[in-house]
Structures are given as structure tokens and as C-alpha cells.
């Protein structure tokens, strides 16, 4: 909503209030100021009059004008196509510095002296209103030749743009904004009471109004005979200021007066409602259409009230007998209808759906007077109207309720004053209660708390002292908190281990996901209105997003990319869960002296170590993933405490190629399966541990898992742990390889004797021999 | 003997000193030879010679020890000098990764509120109309609904447009008093320089018996919170409108970029909008069937906080796993 200081001044006397103060007040009362702009016209730009205007002998497009600038008459060469004798104009005189920095000096144009410049609106820093020079008229108020233009408050104005909240339809007009300001400044608002002249022809002679049923709308009609309507400069200026324009002069004036008064105004040709060409009597019929909207009907449907006016009922030309209509429909009713049956809406729907001004005759009168002042039109006496039954809104509230919600005691007299200034009728109040009758234009006021809000914003939140809340203390650390804490702990560990945390949208591309074998959201549960095609489904995995991120980082020149993410993923049935994923791509460490600038690429062992550093002890088993992002021979299922928690793999070479990635490893885990509990210390033996190495000769394609299983099954209690330390193969071993394992043995009761260790190792060797047929070299 | 004193003084290495030691003190050394010679001397001279020799022995030994320490120190110095490196070659960056600035900011916010004994509730991303709109005083035809462009699913479920549904679900499942925050991802159909279809919010809710929770209480906690997050800033409350609170306010802090002087970031106003808040609307309590209660609620965008705190310019870069951005938070 855009207002200007001079426009507001038509409704409330702002004498003595600076624009800065007004803007500050708007913010304080909840009308947020988006922008303040000052139209500052430079000095030495004055009002003038073109006395004579002749063509330049040597230039087609130039005119030589004699311009009266009050103190003298100057010859000015002007190139505007609309310059002509008799015109009141804006003249930049010698010495003026234009907003664009140009200084006005005497010049010769094609041999003709020119002492000044006749200006267009944009040349003096105003909004661009049309091509050509400004044609002044009386709408900007009185001026005299030679007077500085900057002294004119309508031209040299301050603009304030407000960001209105959805509930404040009553402030979608200059009058409405002024009304709110009047409460803040404790100053009355000026009312425009249109005085009807009884001697005029009455509207009843040319119009009758019928309503087919009771409708939730109000309308009011006046008629006038439109003659010599010329769009006043003030309308052009102000419509440019509010970034609006309309095709015809009458539409422009209606928009202008609606913006000023808040009343929705339309103009129809009288003829549109007449049965025959030369009928005197027109009949306007109000009826409800099949979708439940109230319509104005003549030859056909002229308009849907509160929504749109259809083109063929609009005035073809701005003259002749015209019906002016003011209308109102309660915003909740029209918004609900639109939600149920969406139809095409015109530019005024925004206002009506948020609540236009219900007091129709004021706006209609303002419009009629404005037209009368700027044309030779005559008005028909009286008006024809129809109003629906408005339910009175009364809110009863007492001082204690107000004080409790605000948390401070507000003086009763102040409350009364605020409510009165805002247009609330509180005359029926008792000593205990405020009985507040809500004016019809305040669509947003229903509850006690709405009334309290009015008090809060007028008192000013800054004037309410802050107070701590005393609440019954309870332990509020619950499951969700611990989950949050767990995430936080693992995120910190991942970052400490060298991974950067990424956050991706929970959307991803269905096509890509399906190509790689991921199952996406079921068709009937799928997103209805994705924002772009590449984000058209919920992600079932964190992997694809990370691959894309890695690819971008490699393109940005990063030779090593380490990312992790904890985020939501979704099953085809749209069930949400949390996954944690890791990606490690490219160099294992940065280029440095230590590696002579040639760091190795990440390998399986290094990646597993990194992941394990973050999540703890893991065990890997051979695995085949459901998706095809993985290298089939370097893929593992990840186990923690004998529970499968996810997968870890090298990225398939084809995928690496598709994403322009060097060697890349990834891991994705079900975050809920990663344990988060306090550790318990194990009792540790105070006796020395013993170490034994065994080198097993086994077939190259035998999985270590099977060896492990046999050892675990056959081992005696003294075996604490064992792990591979060397793998070796050469020609002499043929299809076999040598795998060296280190065994750690320890007893809780004593230091183990040599023969006890040997016995323990022999048991293992026997089992390996009998179950797998393998043994020592 | 004199020459041996000189020899010890002149020895330039521990090795040379060792040779001297053997030549002097060894079994076949000079001293041993002198003692042998002494045996042949006349008896009355023996005592004098022995005394003289023993004095030499002690003096030489102490000269030798002193010289050895000097030489050993010199040699250690030399050895260490040989190990000299140019330390400036080894200046380095942290090899640690980093937390995402938005997540890290969220952590800080959660940390504040949980230390003020707010419960943490996370809820679900896929929501229904009742919890996301209807119960929050946003009926289908409410004009505020088009402020929030919503992602819908084919079965009329939707992606939550704020974390408020978590509050509704909490109120439906628990009795007051309630003191909670709901951190999490939310979704709106907006994608440009200043909007991403997913972002993060933290909303708070406090409910107790009627007459207990006031606007003054809300002011207190938010002023304290904003000072915790942004340091010494001014805090300003402006009346505003949200369907689920009444009275409502938007909260500004004095611009952290220009200290309130007015700059590009604050659109020359000197203020930055950071929060929305208010007293819970009675229609919301009615929707969750709470009677005789009072409460306040507030909500904030985590990305906005992160951008203001860390001076991040481009919102979209936050969601691209961009190491160029992330490595700055190592
Ligand atoms: Zn600033």
C-alpha cells in the first residue's frame, strides 16, 4: 500500500509531523514501512506559462517558445510534441541543477537562443507520467508564475510504502491509513460529506434496481451525465506513484478514488442496462449465479460483485449517461466463495478479499465531487442502494483480562481513548466491562485478544516492560531432545574427522533415482506441484545429492572432497526416517611436502577407517546393493554390534565418470540404528597379553569372513581379538595367497604359559584344517 | 705430563678425547707407565712421586671430564643443527571438516532454549491440512494462506510450511503446562535469490493456566535470546499479524552490519527483522481443545540467523555442499 504525505493530508492534518515521524509511527502501530521516498525537486525550477510557440525554422521537431516565468519572459527552445501556447508548464531556469546533474545554461539550438528548459515529470525527479512536458492544471492546487515548484506539496511530496499484513484490509486506502494514524496522533480524521442538490433530476427517473434474492452484498448507485472529462494531473502523478495505470480516463479516476477512499467503484454505461437503444429507464438486476456469486446483470452479466467487471459493460468513451456503482462484500464471504469455486478475478479482488470500505456513500460522493470538479458533467440527484443485514459485532472485555494478557497495567482512560479514536463505539461500557461495538470496516476484530492487540499497538510494545515467566519446573528432556543431541554428537565427530557437513533439499529427481535403481514415492502419493522437474520427488537416499555436490566441488578445483550429511529420507510409502551418509572422493590428503605434491587417492581401507573414526567399531560383510551406484566388487554391508546398519562401497566407475569424479567412496547408514548410549567399562585383566602371528595359506577367492567365522567358533576363552596384518601372493603360491593374522591372548587369572598359548592356537588351526582345508605355510 | 694437559685442551672431538683417555689412563697409558717407573725409584722419593702422580691423575681426570662435556655439547649442537628445518614451509590449515553454518546456528539456538528448560520436539515433515493450517486458525479461504505457497501430495497431504504443526501435535498429546521448541526443515514453493524451497525454522510455544502467560513474558525471553545470539544489539518490537497469534509482533534487531546507521542489507532502515511472535490466538487453543489457558508463541528462520551471524550473502549456496563456503567454518 502506497501513500504520500500530501494525499494523507487530505484526510488528516499532518501539519507539524515530519515524514520521519510518520514513518516511525507507522512501524510502531503495526503498519510496516517498506520504503520512504522523497521527491525532491531542485531549486530554480519554476512555474511558467507558454505565451507563444512557433516552429524552429531549421529543425522540424523543435519549437521556439516565449515563456512567462513571472519575473520575465524567456525564449526557450523545446522539443516536446505536446508544447503549445497557453500551456502552464514547469520551467528549469538558468542555473538550475537537474536531478541527473545537468546544469541549465543559456545555449544556442540550431542557431536559436534558448534560456532554460520546459520539463517533463521524470526530468524533475518525479515518476514518469507520459511522454512530453508536464501540462499543469488546477488539480495540484494554486500556483503563480515564477513560484518555485518545490514549494508545491503535491509535486514535492514524500512517498511511504507500507507492507500491510493480511488482516488489515481497512488500511488498503489512503483514508484507512489516515484513520489508523488519527488514533496514533490523537487527531480527528476529516470526513467528506457529499451534499446532494435536490433541484437536480432524480436518479429514479433513469434507473431501477431489482434484487432476485437476499444477497450478502451492499451496492449504491449514482448517475451522472459525463461531459468534457479530462484526466487531471494529480491523478496521473499519483497513479504513477502507486505504479498503476488504466486505459481510459474514467477508469483512472475510479482507481484513484478507490485508492483514496477504499470504496470499490465501477462505472457502467447506462445504455447497457436498457432493453432498447433509446430507452430512458435502465434496470439493474442483482442475482446469484450458479457458483453462488452475486452478479450485476443488464444485457448480460455486467460484473461479479467484489470480483470482476466484464469488458462489455465498461464505458467505451468517457462521456454520456453513466452509472457509478459502489459495492461491498464481506471479505470472509468472498474469499470462501473463491476458495470453493475459483473464477477469474479483476484487479480489485485483492482489496475486496481483504476487506474494502463498507461505508459506500462517502466513497461514491468523493468520486462524484472529483469528477464534477474536473469536468463539465452534471449529476442526477439522490442514489439508489441496497444493503444487506449487517450483524453487529460486540466484544466484552474487562480491565483484568487486558492486563493479564499484556502483562502490565494500562490506564483505563488511555484504553477508552484508543478505542474511540480507532472508531470503536464504547458508549455502552459499564464500570466493570468495556462493551466494544466494532465498526464494520474492522473485519479483523472478533475476539477479546483482537481488542487487546489494538491497545498493545497503540500503547507501543516498547512501553510494555519485559517480565520473566515463572513456570512450574519439570524435566523437559525427552526423546526428541536426545535424538537431537545424538545428531549433534555425531555431526561434531564427523566434522572433527575431516568431513564437511552438507545439507540438501529433501527433494530429488525421480528419473535419476529410478535410473540408479532407487525406489521412489508411490505414484498415488507423489508430489502434486514440484517446484522444478529436477526436484520432483522425495529423496529415498542421501547418496545422489552428495554425488552431485561432490561433482560440483571437483569442478570448482577441489582434489579431495569429504562430505557428510544427516537428513530425512522417505520410503515409497512416504515414511520418514533419518540417514547418515559419508562421501570421500579423490586425494586422501592435501598435496604437501610430505607426499611430494602427489597424495594417494582414497582407498577402501582408508575410507572404512574414516567412517569408523566417526561412528565407532564396525564390521563389514560382503554385500550387493539394491541400487547401481556401487562397484560390485567393493561393496560391504556395515554391522555394528551384529546389527546391519547400512552399506559402504566404492562408487561404480561408470557413475564416477558420469559425475566427473576421481575414485570415490560412499557410505549410507540408518541413523536410528547407530547406538547412542553411555559406555560401560569392561573389566580388564591385569595379566600380560601375548601375541601370536599365523600365516595361513588359503585360496585367493576364499572370503576372510569364512575364516573369521571358523576362528570365532573354535577359539578358546583366552583369545581376546585377532585381525589381519598382512596379505601376500606370488607365483609360487599359484591360486593361493598367504594371509597373516595376529592373535591376542590373555587370561583374567594368570599370565599364560607357552604351552597354553600353543594349545589355543592348535585348536584354531585344527578347526581351520577340518572346516576349510587350510593351514600354515 | 704438560703435553697431555695441552692435548686434552686441544682435542676437537669426543673420539680424540677418548684416544687421549686411553693413552693417559689406560692400562698401557702414560700414568700406568709412570707408576711402573716410580717402583724403580729410590724408596725415599716414592712417596713424593706417588703424590705428584696422583695429583696429575686427578687434575687430568677433571680436565678430561670438563673437556668431554664441552665437546659433547658441541657435538649435540652440531647434530641438531644438521636437523634444522625451515618451519615456515610447514604452515598449514586444519584438516578437520566443518559443521554446516545453518545446522551450527540451529544448535546454538536449541542450546539456548534447552538451557531455559524448553523441551525439544521435532515432528514430521509430511503433514496434513489440519495440523499445518486448519488448527492454526488458517481455514481454507484465509487470505494468509496464499502468503504460503504449499507443496501438496496427490493424496492431499502436504509438506509442512512451518514447524507450527509440531506444536499442534504436542498440544493434542499433552496437557499444559507446555514449554517447547520445534526445530526443523520447512517447505514453501519459492525459489530465487532470497528463497529456497526448503529452509529451517525454530518455533517456540509456552502454555500455562489462563492469566499466567503475558506479552511481557514473551518480550523478556526474546530480548534475552536475541542478545545471546547477536551480542549487544538493540531489540525492537513492531505490532504485526499472524493468524495463530493475537496480539502479534515482529521483532527487529539493530543492523549488525552498520550498527543501525543504515546500509544495503537493512535497506537503509538500520533494523533487521529476525522474529515473529505473539500471544496464542484463542482459535488455536479451541482447535486443540484447551480451555482456560494462556500462552505465547514465536518463530524464526534459521537461515536468516546464519546469514546475519556469519555474513553469508547467497542463500542457495547453503544447499549445495559447497566446500568453498563450508571450509570457512573450519
Ligand atoms: Zn544496516
Amino acid at each position: 500500500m502506497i501513500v504520500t504525505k500530501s494525499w494523507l493530508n487530505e484526510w488528516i492534518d499532518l501539519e507539524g509531523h515530519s515524514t520521519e515521524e510518520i514513518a516511525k509511527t507507522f512501524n510502531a502501530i503495526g503498519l510496516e514501512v517498506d520504503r520512504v521516498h522523497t521527491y525532491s525537486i531542485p531549486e530554480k525550477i519554476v512555474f511558467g506559462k507558454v505565451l507563444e510557440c512557433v516552429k524552429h525554422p531549421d529543425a522540424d521537431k523543435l519549437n521556439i517558445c516565449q515563456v512567462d516565468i513571472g519575473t520575465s519572459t524567456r525564449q526557450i527552445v523545446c522539443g516536446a510534441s505536446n508544447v503549445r501556447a497557453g500551456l502552464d508548464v514547469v520551467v528549469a531556469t538558468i542555473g538550475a541543477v537537474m536531478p541527473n546533474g545537468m546544469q541549465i545554461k543559456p545555449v544556442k539550438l540550431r542557431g536559436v537562443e534558448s534560456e532554460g528548459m520546459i520539463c517533463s515529470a521524470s526530468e524533475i525527479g518525479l515518476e514518469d507520467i507520459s511522454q512530453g512536458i508536464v501540462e499543469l492544471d488546477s488539480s495540484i492546487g494554486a500556483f503563480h508564475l515564477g513560484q518555485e515548484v518545490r514549494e508545491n506539496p503535491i509535486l514535492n511530496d514524500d512517498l511511504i510504502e507500507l507492507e500491510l499484513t493480511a488482516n488489515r484490509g481497512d488500511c488498503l486506502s489512503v483514508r484507512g491509513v489516515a484513520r489508523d494514524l488519527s488514533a496514533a496522533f490523537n487527531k480527528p480524521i476529516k470526513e467528506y460529506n457529499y451534499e446532494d442538490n435536490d433541484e437536480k433530476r432524480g436518479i429514479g427517473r433513469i434507473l431501477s434496481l431489482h434484487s432476485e434474492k437476499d444477497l450478502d452484498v451492499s451496492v449504491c448507485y449514482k448517475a451522472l451525465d459525463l461531459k468534457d472529462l479530462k484526466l487531471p494531473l494529480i491523478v496521473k502523478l499519483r497513479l504513477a506513484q502507486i505504479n498503476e495505470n488504466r486505459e481510459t480516463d474514467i477508469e483512472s479516476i475510479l482507481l484513484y478514488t478507490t485508492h483514496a477512499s477504499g470504496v470499490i467503484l465501477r462505472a457502467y454505461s447506462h445504455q447497457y442496462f436498457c432493453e432498447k437503444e433509446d430507452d430512458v429507464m435502465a434496470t439493474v438486476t442483482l442475482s446469484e449465479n450458479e457458483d453462488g456469486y452475486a452478479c450485476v446483470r443488464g444485457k448480460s452479466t455486467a460484473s461479479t460483485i467484489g470480483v470482476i467487471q466484464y469488458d462489455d459493460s465498461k464505458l467505451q468513451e468517457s462521456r454520456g449517461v453513466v452509472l457509478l456503482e459502489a459495492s461491498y462484500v464481506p471479505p470472509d464471504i468472498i474469499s470462501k466463495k473463491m476458495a470453493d469455486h475459483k473464477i477469474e478475478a479483476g484487479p480489485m479482488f485483492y482489496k475486496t478479499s481483504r476487506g474494502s470500505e463498507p461505508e459506500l456513500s462517502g466513497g461514491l460522493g468523493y468520486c462524484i465531487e472529483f469528477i464534477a470538479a474536473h469536468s463539465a458533467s452534471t449529476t442526477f440527484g439522490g442514489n439508489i442502494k441496497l444493503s444487506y443485514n449487517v450483524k453487529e459485532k460486540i466484544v466484552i472485555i474487562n480491565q483484568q483480562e487486558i492486563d493479564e494478557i499484556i502483562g502490565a497495567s494500562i490506564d483505563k482512560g488511555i484504553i477508552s481513548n484508543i478505542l474511540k479514536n480507532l472508531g470503536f463505539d464504547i458508549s455502552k461500557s459499564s464500570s466493570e466491562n468495556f462493551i466494544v461495538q466494532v465498526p464494520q470496516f474492522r473485519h479483523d476484530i472478533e475476539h477479546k485478544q483482537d481488542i487487546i492487540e489494538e491497545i498493545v499497538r497503540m500503547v507501543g510494545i516498547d512501553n510494555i516492560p519485559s517480565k520473566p515467566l515463572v513456570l512450574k519446573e519439570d524435566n523437559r528432556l525427552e526423546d526428541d531432545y536426545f535424538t537431537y543431541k545424538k545428531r549433534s554428537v555425531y555431526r561434531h565427530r564427523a566434522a572433527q574427522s575431516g568431513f564437511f557437513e552438507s545439507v540438501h533439499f529433501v527433494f530429488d529427481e525421480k528419473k535419476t533415482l529410478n535410473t540408479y535403481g532407487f525406489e521412489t514415492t508411490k505414484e498415488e502419493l507423489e508430489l502434486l506441484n514440484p517446484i522444478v522437474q529436477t526436484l520432483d520427488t522425495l529423496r529415498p537416499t542421501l547418496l545422489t545429492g552428495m554425488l552431485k555436490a561432490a561433482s560440483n566441488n571437483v569442478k570448482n578445483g577441489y582434489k579431495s572432497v569429504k562430505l557428510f550429511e544427516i537428513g530425512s529420507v522417505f520410503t515409497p510409502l512416504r515414511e520418514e526416517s533419518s540417514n547418515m551418509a559419508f562421501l570421500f572422493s579423490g586425494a586422501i590428503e592435501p598435496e604437501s611436502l610430505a607426499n611430494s605434491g602427489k597424495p594417494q587417492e582414497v582407498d577402501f581401507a582408508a575410507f572404512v577407517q574414516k567412517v569408523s573414526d566417526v561412528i565407532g567399531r564396525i564390521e563389514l560383510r560382503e554385500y550387493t546393493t539394491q541400487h547401481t551406484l556401487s562397484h560390485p566388487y567393493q561393496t560391504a554391508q556395515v554391522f555394528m554390534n551384529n546389527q546391519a546398519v547400512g552399506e559402504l562401497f566404492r562408487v561404480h566407475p561408470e557413475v564416477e565418470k558420469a559425475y566427473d569424479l576421481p575414485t570415490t567412496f560412499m557410505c549410507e547408514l540408518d541413523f536410528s540404528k547407530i547406538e547412542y548410549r553411555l559406555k560401560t567399562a569392561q573389566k580388564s585383566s591385569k595379566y600380560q597379553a601375548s601375541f601370536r602371528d599365523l600365516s595361513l595359506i588359503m585360496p585367493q577367492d576364499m572370503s576372510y569372513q569364512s575364516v573369521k567365522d571358523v576362528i570365532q567358533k573354535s577359539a578358546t576363552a583366552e583369545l581376546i581379538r585377532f585381525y589381519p596384518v598382512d596379505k601376500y601372493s606370488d607365483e609360487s603360491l599359484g591360486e593361493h595367497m598367504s594371509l597373516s593374522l595376529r592373535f591376542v591372548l590373555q587370561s583374567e587369572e594368570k599370565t599364560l604359559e607357552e604351552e597354553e598359548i600353543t594349545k589355543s592356537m592348535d585348536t584354531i588351526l585344527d578347526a581351520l584344517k577340518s572346516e576349510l582345508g587350510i593351514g600354515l605355510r | 705430563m704438560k703435553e697431555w694437559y695441552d692435548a686434552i685442551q686441544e682435542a676437537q672431538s669426543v673420539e680424540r678425547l677418548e684416544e687421549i683417555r686411553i693413552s693417559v689412563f689406560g692400562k698401557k697409558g702414560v700414568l700406568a707407565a709412570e707408576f711402573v717407573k716410580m717402583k724403580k725409584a729410590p724408596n725415599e722419593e716414592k712417596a713424593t712421586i706417588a703424590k705428584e702422580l696422583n695429583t696429575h691423575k686427578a687434575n687430568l681426570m677433571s680436565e678430561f671430564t670438563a673437556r668431554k662435556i664441552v665437546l659433547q655439547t658441541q657435538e649435540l649442537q652440531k647434530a641438531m643443527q644438521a636437523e634444522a628445518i625451515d618451519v615456515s614451509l610447514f604452515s598449514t590449515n586444519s584438516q578437520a571438516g566443518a559443521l554446516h553454518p545453518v545446522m551450527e546456528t540451529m544448535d546454538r539456538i536449541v542450546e539456548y532454549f534447552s538451557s531455559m528448560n524448553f523441551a525439544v520436539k521435532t515432528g514430521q515433515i509430511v503433514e496434513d491440512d489440519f495440523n499445518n493450517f486448519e488448527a492454526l486458525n488458517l481455514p481454507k479461504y484465509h487470505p494468509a494462506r496464499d502468503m504460503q505457497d504449499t507443496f501438496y501430495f496427490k493424496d492431499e497431504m502436504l509438506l509442512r510450511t512451518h514447524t507450527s504443526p509440531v506444536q499442534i501435535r504436542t498440544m493434542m498429546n499433552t496437557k499444559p503446562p507446555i514449554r517447547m521448541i520445534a526445530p526443523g526443515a520447512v517447505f514453501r514453493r519459492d525459489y530465487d535469490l532470497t528463497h529456497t524451497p526448503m529452509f529451517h525454522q525454530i518455533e517456540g510455544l509456552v502454555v500455562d493456566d489462563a492469566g499466567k502467560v503475558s506479552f511481557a513474558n514473551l518480550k523478556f525471553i526474546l530480548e534475552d535470546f536475541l542478545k545471546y545470539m547477536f551480542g549487544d544489539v538493540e531489540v525492537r518490537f513492531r505490532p504485526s499479524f499472524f493468524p495463530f497469534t493475537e496480539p502479534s509482533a515482529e521483532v527487529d534487531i539493530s543492523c549488525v552490519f552498520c550498527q543501525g546507521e543504515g546500509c544495503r542489507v537493512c535497506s537503509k532502515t538500520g533494523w533487521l527483522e529476525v522474529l515473529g511472535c505473539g500471544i496464542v490466538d484463542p482459535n488455536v487453543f479451541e482447535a486443540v481443545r484447551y480451555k482456560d489457558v494462556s500462552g505465547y508463541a514465536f518463530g524464526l528462520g534459521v537461515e536468516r540467523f546464519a546469514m546475519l551471524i556469519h555474513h553469508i550473502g547467497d542463500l542457495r549456496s547453503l544447499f549445495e555442499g559447497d566446500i568453498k563456503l563450508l571450509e570457512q567454518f573450519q
Side-chain angles (χ1 to χ4, degrees), chain A residues 363-577:
Chain A
L364 201 52
Y366 180 83
C367 181
I368 293 278
E369 273 196 348
F370 192 85
I371 293 173
H374 298 287
S375 70
S377 309
T378 52
T379 319
F380 290 80
N383 58 44
I384 292 182
K385 62 182 172 188
L386 192 148
S387 305
Y388 77 104
N389 273 334
V390 182
K391 267 181 262 146
E392 263 194 356
K393 273 196 290 188
I394 290 177
V395 181
I396 301 170
I397 186 166
N398 64 42
Q399 180 86 36
Q400 192 195 342
E401 289 169 322
I402 295 172
D403 291 352
E404 276 178 355
I405 293 266
I406 296 179
S409 188
I410 311 290
D411 182 77
K412 203 167 179 179
I414 293 176
I415 296 174
S416 303
N417 230 10
I418 288 169
L419 294 176
K420 273 189 263 178
N421 278 338
L422 285 167
F424 295 83
D425 183 352
I426 53 166
S427 57
K428 297 194 188 84
S429 298
S430 64
S431 56
E432 296 89 49
N433 288 317
F434 289 99
I435 298 176
V436 185
Q437 191 175 342
V438 181
Q440 205 192 345
F441 62 82
R442 286 308 298 268
H443 311 97
D444 55 323
I445 309 283
E446 274 175 29
H447 296 279
K448 291 175 183 181
Q449 281 177 226
D450 297 308
I451 299 289
I452 294 169
E453 176 167 60
E454 296 303 296
I455 298 165
V456 164
R457 70 189 184 96
M458 289 303 163
V459 166
I461 302 178
D462 288 343
N463 297 321
I464 300 172
S466 309
K467 246 187 244 165
L469 170 65
V470 180
L471 192 68
K472 186 176 148 252
E473 286 311 337
D474 241 330
N475 183 354
R476 296 195 165 81
L477 305 178
E478 298 156 306
D479 283 0
D480 281 4
Y481 172 78
F482 291 114
T483 310
Y484 192 89
K485 187 85 193 154
K486 172 182 164 189
R487 273 174 78 121
S488 173
V489 165
Y490 280 102
R491 285 171 42 239
H492 277 89
R493 288 171 67 161
Q496 278 311 309
S497 300
F499 292 94
F500 289 99
E501 182 175 28
S502 66
V503 175
H504 285 91
F505 299 146
V506 302
F507 310 109
D508 206 340
E509 190 176 29
K510 196 180 183 84
K511 206 178 83 189
T512 312
L513 287 164
N514 293 344
T515 308
Y516 288 121
F518 290 99
E519 230 185 311
T520 48
T521 310
K522 281 192 157 195
E523 200 46 48
E524 65 270 25
L525 300 178
E526 193 50 277
L527 264 179
L528 192 64
N529 54 348
I531 195 145
V532 281
Q533 200 222 306
T534 49
L535 299 173
D536 61 354
T537 193
L538 292 176
R539 63 180 178 190
T541 174
L542 305 177
L543 298 173
T544 42
M546 286 186 123
L547 275 174
K548 222 181 302 162
S551 180
N552 284 334
N553 281 306
V554 168
K555 277 189 195 110
N556 286 339
Y558 285 90
K559 297 210 165 80
S560 177
V561 178
K562 278 173 271 182
L563 297 173
F564 83 95
E565 181 162 351
I566 301 179
S568 289
V569 293
F570 297 83
T571 65
L573 291 172
R574 241 177 21 210
E575 294 148 333
E576 182 183 346
S577 62

Side-chain angles (χ1 to χ4, degrees), chain A residues 27-30 32 165-167 332 335-336 339 353-354 404-407 447 449-450 452-453 456-457 461-476 478 480-481 484 487-488 491-492 495-496 498-507 523-532 535 538 549 553 556 558 560-564 568 570 574 576 590 593, chain B residues 89-90 95-100 103-104 106-107 110 114 117 119-126 140-141 143-144 146-147 150-155 157 159 177 179 183 187 189-191 196-198 200 206 208 211-217 219-220 223 236-241 246-250 273 279-283 296 318-324 326-327 330:
Chain A
N27 274 326
I29 62 174
E32 187 181 351
T165 52
N167 60 328
D332 48 337
S335 300
K336 193 168 187 325
S353 66
R354 278 167 159 70
E404 276 178 355
I405 293 266
I406 296 179
H447 296 279
Q449 281 177 226
D450 297 308
I452 294 169
E453 176 167 60
V456 164
R457 70 189 184 96
I461 302 178
D462 288 343
N463 297 321
I464 300 172
S466 309
K467 246 187 244 165
L469 170 65
V470 180
L471 192 68
K472 186 176 148 252
E473 286 311 337
D474 241 330
N475 183 354
R476 296 195 165 81
E478 298 156 306
D480 281 4
Y481 172 78
Y484 192 89
R487 273 174 78 121
S488 173
R491 285 171 42 239
H492 277 89
Q496 278 311 309
F499 292 94
F500 289 99
E501 182 175 28
S502 66
V503 175
H504 285 91
F505 299 146
V506 302
F507 310 109
E523 200 46 48
E524 65 270 25
L525 300 178
E526 193 50 277
L527 264 179
L528 192 64
N529 54 348
I531 195 145
V532 281
L535 299 173
L538 292 176
N553 281 306
N556 286 339
Y558 285 90
S560 177
V561 178
K562 278 173 271 182
L563 297 173
F564 83 95
S568 289
F570 297 83
R574 241 177 21 210
E576 182 183 346
L593 286 174
Chain B
L89 278 171
F90 298 90
Q95 286 302 310
L99 295 178
H100 194 280
M103 295 296 128
E104 190 261 348
M106 187 130 110
D107 285 352
V110 171
S114 55
N117 204 11
V120 176
K121 303 273 183 186
T122 45
Q124 59 199 66
I125 284 174
V126 177
K140 277 218 165 58
Y141 53 86
D146 55 43
M147 297 184 337
T150 312
F151 284 104
Y152 283 99
F153 293 97
K154 289 180 178 167
D155 59 346
M157 295 292 278
L159 285 171
R179 176 149 67 181
F187 305 85
R189 288 194 77 252
D190 245 341
Y191 206 176
T196 45
M198 177 177 110
H200 297 82
V206 171
D208 201 355
K212 280 260 184 89
V213 185
S214 71
F215 204 91
N217 299 146
K219 249 188 106 179
F220 179 86
E223 281 169 349
R236 171 177 92 166
F237 285 72
R238 272 182 298 106
S240 187
F241 166 75
E246 180 100 61
S248 308
E250 279 176 330
E273 188 186 318
I279 295 294
V280 178
D281 194 289
N283 291 342
Y296 67 67
L318 290 171
F319 298 98
E320 289 166 355
D322 184 358
I323 296 179
K324 226 174 21 252
L326 296 170
E327 69 188 354
Q330 265 170 346

Side-chain angles (χ1 to χ4, degrees), chain B residues 227-245:
Chain B
K227 292 207 155 84
Y228 169 81
M229 290 304 288
F230 292 100
D232 192 19
V233 288
E234 270 185 71
V235 179
R236 171 177 92 166
F237 285 72
R238 272 182 298 106
S240 187
F241 166 75
F242 305 104
F244 26 89
T245 51

